[in-house]
Amino acid sequence: MTTVPASACACPATTSFLHEPGPAVDSGPGALARLGDHVLDVHAGARTGGVVVVTDAGLRATGIVDEVLAVLAAAGQPTVVVDDVPGNPTVPAVEAGARVVAEAFPATRPVVVAVGGGSALDAAKGIARLAADPTGPGLPLIAVPTTAGTGAETNGFGVLEDPVRRCKVYCGDTTTTPRVALLDPLLTHGLPPGATAATGVDALVHALESLVSRGRSPVSEAFAAEALRRVWRWLPVAHADGADPTARAEMLVGAHLAGQALTRSGLGLVHGLGHALTAHHGVVHGRALAMVLPEVVAWSLDDVGAVDAGAWARVTELLGLRHPGELPGALARWTDAVGVPPGIDRAALGPGPSGLEVLAATAAADPVCRNAPRAADRTALAGLLTRSAH
């Protein structure tokens, strides 16, 4: 492999790119208290515009949604709650949520407040799009993430599961980009270690794939590099002690920065394969990514040009390693240390080659794979699944 100094890997200033700022960010402990002010700003001060809170039943049981509702009540906003978002949000669930909104607010454009992890945020984008006039913009949205991982608060596109076609689809547009991303680390303190790790691995992969993506730009690189540094340092701490205030705050900001990066650069093969594992076998997203991460990185490093070598050199430097060849092992040890081990149970793939072929075909059709630094066809993707299986 060609050795290139990390300092040489940045995209030059002559690289063409379009930077759209995205949501306003209100970050810090206690930021939830300002949610009512943000809703009133969107409604231009009117106290009758209404709010739709999109969340899931598990989060509602924790009391966090009650806190949200109390803040909205103080702002004088009529509110309805859609709290049946499944762990992997589906097209039928989003369609049902849009019908609830249409019935509750037939004559107004309510603000959609998404509260939860990536599932709630993605479902909220779909609801905001489907509940609005199809010829006009989506309903305004405010995102309140309660996990540090998906970065879904940074863009307007939700990833939904189509149970009929057994694949992931994208719903939303630029008008459903959240107006405000409200990042309150206090809302993440109750997240169990397993969920902390799985969502944190997602954030790490967002940062890593963004930093080597074909679609990277000077702006996405800046977001990705800072995200990678923070998540690598602080996820093990947050996993070990979920009440550590510094670790929780660093992880929430790191995940947001990783989301800002992926929104601008696109992702890659780890996400393409991970989406397929989730769609066909119901694997939790972050765990699916960890299953294939080391082998995808090792395979990508087998064939790189000078430009990509520079990008991988920067990843190596940010993780405190000496050579890119150390990356697969270091990533495997890191994910394993937080309880999200690499490798796929071969039995879960189904008998014979058909299981691999179905997964590879699904991944090959996923748009995220187009941004990978090393292109992969269905045969290569099947090979990566085989290499990841044990």
Side-chain angles (χ1 to χ4, degrees), residues 208 270 292-302 312 324 327-328 331:
L208 189 155
V270 179
V292 299
L293 174 62
E295 293 297 342
V296 170
V297 170
W299 182 82
S300 300
L301 290 170
D302 284 343
W312 286 111
L327 280 170
L331 291 166

Side-chain angles (χ1 to χ4, degrees), residues 339-358:
V340 192
I344 304 169
D345 180 357
R346 186 177 293 274
L349 298 179
S354 59
L356 289 175
E357 291 169 359
V358 169

Side-chain angles (χ1 to χ4, degrees), residues 17-28:
F17 64 92
L18 173 65
H19 172 58
E20 299 183 57
V25 180
D26 186 349
S27 178

Side-chain angles (χ1 to χ4, degrees), residues 147-159:
T147 66
T150 68
E153 72 277 4
T154 62
N155 61 72
F157 294 89
V159 182

Side-chain angles (χ1 to χ4, degrees), residues 96-311:
R99 288 193 294 269
V100 170
V101 176
E103 293 170 3
F105 299 101
T108 62
R109 280 174 53 84
V111 174
V112 177
V113 174
V115 183
S119 296
L121 272 59
D122 281 356
K125 295 170 190 175
I127 291 170
R129 180 60 274 171
L130 294 183
D133 182 339
T135 64
L139 298 179
L141 192 146
I142 294 174
V144 186
T146 60
T147 66
T150 68
E153 72 277 4
T154 62
N155 61 72
F157 294 89
V159 182
L160 309 178
E161 184 174 325
D162 184 334
V164 176
R165 293 187 292 161
R166 300 285 294 273
C167 67
K168 295 289 187 177
V169 297
Y170 298 86
C171 182
D173 56 31
T174 57
T175 70
T176 50
T177 298
R179 304 287 184 88
V180 179
L182 196 151
L183 309 181
D184 188 338
L186 298 179
L187 302 180
T188 69
H189 281 214
L191 197 65
T196 296
T199 54
V201 167
D202 191 17
L204 183 95
V205 178
H206 288 163
L208 189 155
E209 289 200 301
S210 295
L211 204 52
V212 300
S213 168
R214 293 186 186 193
R216 68 187 187 271
S217 72
V219 173
S220 69
E221 281 186 337
F223 282 124
E226 185 61 16
L228 189 64
R229 183 187 68 80
R230 288 174 185 261
V231 175
W232 184 259
R233 166 70 177 85
W234 289 104
L235 178 60
V237 180
H239 177 257
D241 180 5
D244 185 300
T246 301
R248 287 299 194 187
E250 290 282 349
M251 279 301 302
L252 193 57
V253 171
H256 178 78
L257 295 174
Q260 292 279 12
L262 76 87
T263 296
R264 291 159 176 80
S265 67
L267 294 168
L269 302 182
V270 179
H271 268 80
L273 291 167
H275 287 164
L277 286 164
T278 298
H280 289 280
H281 298 288
V283 183
V284 172
H285 179 61
R287 293 187 177 276
L289 301 179
M291 289 177 175
V292 299
L293 174 62
E295 293 297 342
V296 170
V297 170
W299 182 82
S300 300
L301 290 170
D302 284 343
D303 182 19
V304 295
V307 174
D308 289 335

